[in-house]
C-alpha cells in the first residue's frame, strides 16, 4: 500500500471527510483491521484564506509547496490537496516535489466522462467558478462547464466561508443551492460538480434531478485506488 500525503485544513471540516472516506474505503477493500497509510498536514486556513482574498496566490502557493515537500520527506508516495480552490497553485507545488499530485479536477472529469455527460454545472468558491485554473482543466476533457450568475456566485461563496467552513448546515442555504442547481439544469447542465469540498456536507443526491459529482468523495476514492495499485 502506498502512503498518501494529504494537505488539509482548508477547511478542516472537509478534511475530516477525506480522512473518514479514505480509511473506510481501504478497510472495505482489504478487510480486517486495515486502514490507510497516510500523512496529514493540516494548515491554518486563516492564513491561506487571507492570501486568497488579497490575491496573493504565490504566497499561498509557497506555503502549500513547503507542506508538500515536508510530506514527501516524511515518506508520502503521492499528494492530494484536500480542497478544490487551492489547486490553483498546483504548479508551485509540483515544481519542488518529485512525487505526483493527484489532481481533483482530473479525477472528477474521469467520473463525468464515465457517465457520458457533456455539459455540467459547476458550484464552488467564487475563485473556482470564475477563474480558469479549474474550469479549463475540466473543459480540456471535452466537457462544457456552466457557472451560476455573478449574484449567485457571491452568495455561494458567502455560504461556503461563513457557514460550511464552520460546520453550519442551514436549510435556507440548501434551498438556495437547489434553486441554483435547477437553473443550471434549465440551461443545459446534465450533471453538477460540487466543486468545493464543503458543499457535499450540505447537498446530497436527493437535492437534484441530475447526477451530482461530489469532488470530496471522488478525490478520496481515487486516492485509495492509487494507493492500492
Amino acid at each position: 500500500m502506498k502512503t498518501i500525503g494529504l494537505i488539509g485544513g482548508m477547511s478542516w471540516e472537509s478534511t475530516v471527510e477525506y480522512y473518514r472516506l479514505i480509511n473506510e474505503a481501504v478497510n472495505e477493500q482489504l478487510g480486517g483491521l486495515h486502514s490507510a497509510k497516510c500523512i496529514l498536514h493540516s494548515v491554518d486556513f486563516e492564513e491561506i484564506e487571507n492570501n486568497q482574498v488579497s490575491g496573493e496566490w504565490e504566497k499561498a502557493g509557497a506555503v502549500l509547496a513547503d507542506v508538500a515537500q515536508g510530506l514527501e520527506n516524511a515518506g508520502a508516495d503521492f499528494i492530494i490537496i484536500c480542497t478544490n480552490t487551492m489547486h490553483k497553485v498546483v504548479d508551485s507545488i509540483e515544481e519542488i516535489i518529485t512525487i505526483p499530485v493527484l489532481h481533483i479536477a482530473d479525477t472528477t472529469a474521469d467520473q463525468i466522462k464515465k457517465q457520458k455527460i457533456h455539459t455540467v454545472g459547476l458550484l464552488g468558491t467564487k475563485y473556482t467558478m470564475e477563474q480558469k485554473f479549474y474550469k479549463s482543466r475540466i473543459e480540456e476533457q471535452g466537457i462544457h462547464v456552466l457557472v451560476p450568475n455573478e449574484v449567485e456566485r457571491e452568495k455561494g461563496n458567502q455560504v461556503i466561508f461563513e457557514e460550511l467552513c464552520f460546520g453550519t448546515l442551514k436549510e435556507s442555504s440548501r434551498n438556495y443551492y437547489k434553486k441554483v442547481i435547477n437553473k443550471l439544469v434549465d440551461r443545459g447542465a446534465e450533471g453538477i460538480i460540487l466543486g468545493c469540498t464543503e458543499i457535499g456536507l450540505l447537498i446530497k443526491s436527493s437535492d437534484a434531478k441530475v447526477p451530482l459529482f461530489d469532488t470530496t468523495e471522488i478525490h478520496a476514492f481515487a486516492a485509495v485506488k492509487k494507493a492500492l495499485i
Side-chain angles (χ1 to χ4, degrees), residues 87-127:
H87 279 75
K88 178 177 172 67
V89 301
V90 70
D91 290 345
S92 297
I93 295 170
E94 291 177 327
E95 283 176 1
I96 70 165
I97 60 175
T98 61
I99 57 176
V101 176
L102 184 62
H103 200 294
I104 196 168
D106 294 344
T107 61
T108 300
D110 287 344
Q111 293 303 310
I112 294 169
K113 289 191 294 184
K114 282 182 180 180
Q115 295 203 32
K116 302 186 185 304
I117 286 174
H118 303 288
T119 301
V120 293
L122 173 62
L123 304 178
T125 66
K126 63 181 181 181
Y127 313 109

Side-chain angles (χ1 to χ4, degrees), residues 7-211:
I7 305 179
M10 300 169 286
S11 69
W12 70 262
E13 292 280 350
S14 60
T15 302
V16 169
E17 284 296 292
Y18 267 94
Y19 187 74
R20 178 182 67 82
L21 290 166
I22 287 170
N23 280 285
E24 285 180 351
V26 167
N27 184 258
E28 181 179 342
Q29 294 194 43
L30 300 183
L33 293 174
H34 283 289
S35 55
K37 291 183 179 180
C38 60
I39 308 166
L40 168 62
H41 186 131
S42 187
V43 303
D44 179 2
F45 193 24
E46 179 77 9
E47 177 184 359
I48 300 299
E49 200 269 339
N50 285 340
N51 290 334
Q52 291 176 349
V53 172
S54 62
E56 297 179 289
W57 295 98
E58 289 186 5
K59 186 179 291 187
V63 171
L64 298 195
D66 185 62
V67 169
Q69 191 170 55
L71 290 169
E72 180 177 16
N73 292 339
D77 292 301
F78 65 95
I79 298 292
I80 61 172
I81 309 166
C82 302
T83 169
N84 287 271
T85 298
M86 291 313 296
H87 279 75
K88 178 177 172 67
V89 301
V90 70
D91 290 345
S92 297
I93 295 170
E94 291 177 327
E95 283 176 1
I96 70 165
I97 60 175
T98 61
I99 57 176
V101 176
L102 184 62
H103 200 294
I104 196 168
D106 294 344
T107 61
T108 300
D110 287 344
Q111 293 303 310
I112 294 169
K113 289 191 294 184
K114 282 182 180 180
Q115 295 203 32
K116 302 186 185 304
I117 286 174
H118 303 288
T119 301
V120 293
L122 173 62
L123 304 178
T125 66
K126 63 181 181 181
Y127 313 109
T128 299
M129 292 186 288
E130 294 175 357
Q131 299 182 23
K132 293 182 178 180
F133 70 92
Y134 193 92
K135 289 188 296 182
S136 63
R137 193 104 177 190
I138 299 289
E139 289 174 335
E140 285 170 3
Q141 300 299 313
I143 301 163
H144 181 50
V145 179
L146 303 173
V147 297
N149 65 39
E150 184 176 359
V151 173
E152 291 165 344
R153 295 196 300 268
E154 286 294 335
K155 173 63 176 176
N157 199 69
Q158 180 182 2
V159 169
I160 291 167
F161 285 102
E162 296 182 13
E163 298 173 23
L164 301 183
C165 286
F166 294 96
T168 302
L169 307 179
K170 293 184 178 180
E171 190 63 26
S172 59
S173 294
R174 179 179 288 107
N175 290 333
Y176 154 75
Y177 272 121
K178 289 168 70 172
K179 290 178 182 177
V180 173
I181 288 170
N182 287 335
K183 289 175 69 173
L184 289 168
V185 171
D186 288 343
R187 290 169 55 194
E190 304 163 87
I192 302 293
I193 300 173
L194 305 184
C196 169
T197 51
E198 283 79 31
I199 296 177
L201 301 173
L202 178 65
I203 299 300
K204 305 300 180 184
S205 58
S206 59
D207 293 317
K209 54 189 177 184
V210 296

